[in-house]
Amino acid sequence: LPNLGPVIPIAWFPDGSHILVEALAARGLSKMSTVDGSTRKVLDDSFQVGSAAVSPDGSRIAWIGGHPGHLDLWMMGANGENPHQILSGVYELVRWSPQSNRIAVASVKNISEDHPEISLLSCDPEGQECSVILSDRGLNNRNGGVHFVWSADNRILYLMQAPGDRYESLWSVQMDASSGRRVSAPSQVTTFPGFHPYELTQSVDGKRLGLVRVKQTEPFRLLDLRRGEKGPQARDRKSTRLNSSHITI
């Protein structure tokens, strides 16, 4: 974009008139018009953003970050009004409920460990009341990050790798639309044999999920023939293939 340079699309506004974007060369967030491509800053460059989501009613933006080095949970109006921190801690991903009355956020503890403690929380939009949806170290995807959506039929759909499993599976829990609390036990929706899924997205009607497939092929050998050494140095390498896919839920 002329005034921002390359940008990363973060989220659509529900009426389709704007996209929330982040410039690669700067921090902060902007609204980009889908009509003429014009942009308007909604969060200045003093803030760093890790994840952001626009409420389904288009009135608010929840985002994770803050000042550099922080991963707190923040809230502001759709045009950047009154940005304020609602939860302090280390958070990774935020999603809105279909009714815009709750947010789901991934809380991370012991982040320096190989398998940090991950909890999915359901909170009111000001962070005054939160309940734990579920906690499991398997929520940390081996390709990086936590991946979940809050579907149109009020399910939390999430990726999790159970102990002993080689690949992640898709799981779900049913949420109460009013209270935002979990009302069912976790249930497995489907498995993904042969590849690692990540980056969940959902269609507007909530009936389809999009995801990225990561598949590591069999190791191949690299032979390093160097003078002065007694023999060739062999090293294993794995190649990685990325594909997109979708499933009906």
Side-chain angles (χ1 to χ4, degrees):
L1 297 175
N3 56 337
L4 288 179
V7 298
I8 301 173
I10 303 295
W12 282 88
F13 281 79
D15 63 1
S17 64
H18 290 84
I19 302 174
L20 189 68
V21 299
E22 181 182 12
L24 289 176
R27 300 186 181 97
L29 293 170
S30 299
K31 287 178 71 172
M32 184 185 75
S33 170
T34 56
V35 177
D36 58 14
S38 60
T39 60
R40 178 175 57 186
K41 203 78 170 178
V42 296
L43 187 65
D44 66 53
D45 296 349
S46 65
F47 291 97
Q48 186 172 339
V49 179
S51 171
V54 181
S55 62
D57 64 9
S59 65
R60 287 176 286 194
I61 300 172
W63 53 281
I64 293 169
H67 300 292
H70 290 260
L71 292 170
D72 304 313
L73 183 60
W74 289 65
M75 187 69 66
M76 64 183 178
N79 294 306
E81 308 95 328
N82 187 30
H84 57 286
Q85 180 182 314
I86 62 172
L87 289 176
S88 176
V90 178
Y91 299 96
E92 189 164 325
L93 184 66
V94 61
R95 293 287 185 258
W96 283 91
S97 70
Q99 294 77 26
S100 300
N101 62 335
R102 305 287 294 186
I103 50 177
V105 64
S107 171
V108 184
K109 295 182 179 179
N110 301 322
I111 194 171
S112 61
E113 296 182 1
D114 290 339
H115 299 284
E117 298 177 29
I118 309 290
S119 296
L120 298 187
L121 308 179
S122 169
C123 304
D124 70 90
E126 290 302 319
Q128 296 179 354
E129 181 272 318
C130 294
S131 61
V132 177
I133 302 171
L134 60 106
S135 297
D136 199 297
R137 292 179 187 269
L139 290 166
N140 189 46
N141 189 283
R142 67 174 294 167
N143 292 295
V146 181
H147 304 283
F148 68 90
V149 296
W150 196 322
S151 67
D153 60 356
N154 277 297
R155 285 186 293 167
I156 298 287
L157 295 151
Y158 58 95
L159 297 175
M160 187 179 73
Q161 187 173 13
D165 287 352
R166 183 177 180 183
Y167 300 104
E168 296 83 1
S169 300
L170 182 68
W171 292 72
S172 77
V173 291
Q174 187 68 49
M175 305 294 290
D176 179 77
S178 178
S179 68
R181 293 183 176 274
R182 194 184 92 183
V183 293
S184 75
S187 62
Q188 190 179 69
V189 178
T190 189
T191 59
F192 302 102
F195 67 91
H196 300 283
Y198 77 111
E199 294 293 347
L200 288 180
T201 60
Q202 64 175 329
S203 60
V204 175
D205 61 9
K207 294 181 179 179
R208 286 185 168 234
L209 281 181
L211 55 90
V212 175
R213 296 183 295 170
V214 179
K215 184 174 183 179
Q216 291 184 323
T217 60
E218 290 301 313
F220 62 90
R221 303 287 284 180
L222 289 179
L223 210 58
D224 188 2
L225 300 174
R226 301 177 184 177
R227 291 183 180 179
E229 295 181 346
K230 294 182 178 179
Q233 304 298 309
R235 293 170 293 170
D236 286 341
R237 290 292 184 268
K238 288 185 178 180
S239 62
T240 300
R241 293 188 297 176
L242 297 178
N243 300 98
S244 61
S245 184
H246 68 267
I247 59 175
T248 302
I249 57 175

